[in-house]
């Protein structure tokens, strides 16, 4: 279930998270995210998040270091980082379902990668940014899958 923005912002504030020139999309919007509330220039700070309120790679490594075994099939450092963070984040979400930030997550991923032809994907067909994002996501997924299977075999 989605939490309302006031609850989420109050929760973030109580943890020392300070937003910059941004606002949350309104509840019920088709996509959940953050929008600029004024002009943003290169170098502007969009959020200030204290380290004790952040989910970090060091937390993930500490929690799941037992899974990192010597002699395991080679996984590049970038992939290992993504896997560890995804595992830690998944575990954190499952363990804290009532946290407002967890409640604010969409019920399923909202990415063009899984969109069907037509509908929302068609609405973006004239957007160069969306086309580029979709192409990059599909290529990245294809490369990741090929890499996983080439190491497994």
């Amino acid at each position: 279930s989605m939490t309302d923005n006031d609850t989420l912002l109050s929760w973030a504030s109580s943890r020392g998270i300070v937003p910059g020139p941004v606002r949350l999309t309104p509840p019920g919007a088709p996509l959940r995210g953050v929008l600029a509330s004024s002009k943003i220039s290169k170098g502007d700070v969009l959020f200030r998040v204290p380290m004790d309120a952040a989910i970090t790679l060091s937390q993930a490594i500490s929690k799941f270091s037992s899974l990192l075994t010597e002699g395991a099939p080679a996984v590049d450092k970038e992939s290992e980082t993504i896997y560890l963070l995804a595992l830690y984040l998944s575990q954190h979400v499952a363990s804290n379902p009532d946290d407002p930030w967890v409640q604010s997550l969409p019920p399923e991923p909202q990415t063009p990668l899984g969109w069907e032809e037509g509908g929302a994907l068609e609405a973006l067909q004239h957007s160069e940014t969306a086309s580029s994002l979709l192409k990059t996501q599909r290529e990245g997924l294809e490369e990741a899958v090929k890499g996983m299977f080439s190491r497994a075999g």
Side-chain angles (χ1 to χ4, degrees):
S1 78
M2 297 271 237
T3 189
D4 66 73
N5 287 348
D6 291 337
T7 303
L8 182 60
L9 292 172
S10 173
W11 175 88
S13 177
S14 74
R15 280 154 185 76
I17 299 169
V18 180
V22 295
R23 62 184 170 81
L24 298 175
T25 53
L31 295 175
R32 185 87 171 129
V34 179
L35 303 171
S37 58
S38 62
K39 184 175 179 183
I40 296 175
S41 300
K42 184 176 181 177
D44 285 354
V45 175
L46 302 182
F47 292 93
R48 292 191 189 282
V49 180
M51 284 305 294
D52 63 354
I55 290 179
T56 65
L57 179 58
S58 61
Q59 291 169 331
I61 289 172
S62 142
K63 175 88 174 173
F64 296 109
S65 59
S66 62
L67 298 178
L68 302 175
T69 55
E70 291 295 324
V75 175
D76 63 89
K77 255 330 194 195
E78 184 180 349
S79 295
E80 183 177 282
T81 299
I82 292 168
Y83 299 146
L84 280 173
L85 283 171
L87 182 60
Y88 183 77
L89 189 57
S90 297
Q91 184 271 334
H92 190 86
V93 166
S95 302
N96 301 282
D98 296 327
D99 272 1
W101 79 268
V102 173
Q103 291 286 316
S104 75
L105 295 172
E108 57 189 55
Q110 296 180 348
T111 169
L113 186 59
W115 291 355
E116 298 293 323
E117 294 297 326
L121 190 57
E122 192 172 299
L124 293 174
Q125 72 183 0
H126 299 295
S127 165
E128 245 180 78
T129 303
S131 297
S132 174
L133 170 66
L134 182 56
K135 183 174 187 260
T136 301
Q137 286 184 343
R138 285 199 172 133
E139 288 170 355
L141 180 61
E142 287 169 8
E143 286 303 310
V145 169
K146 283 180 196 168
M148 287 167 43
F149 286 108
S150 67
R151 282 194 294 277

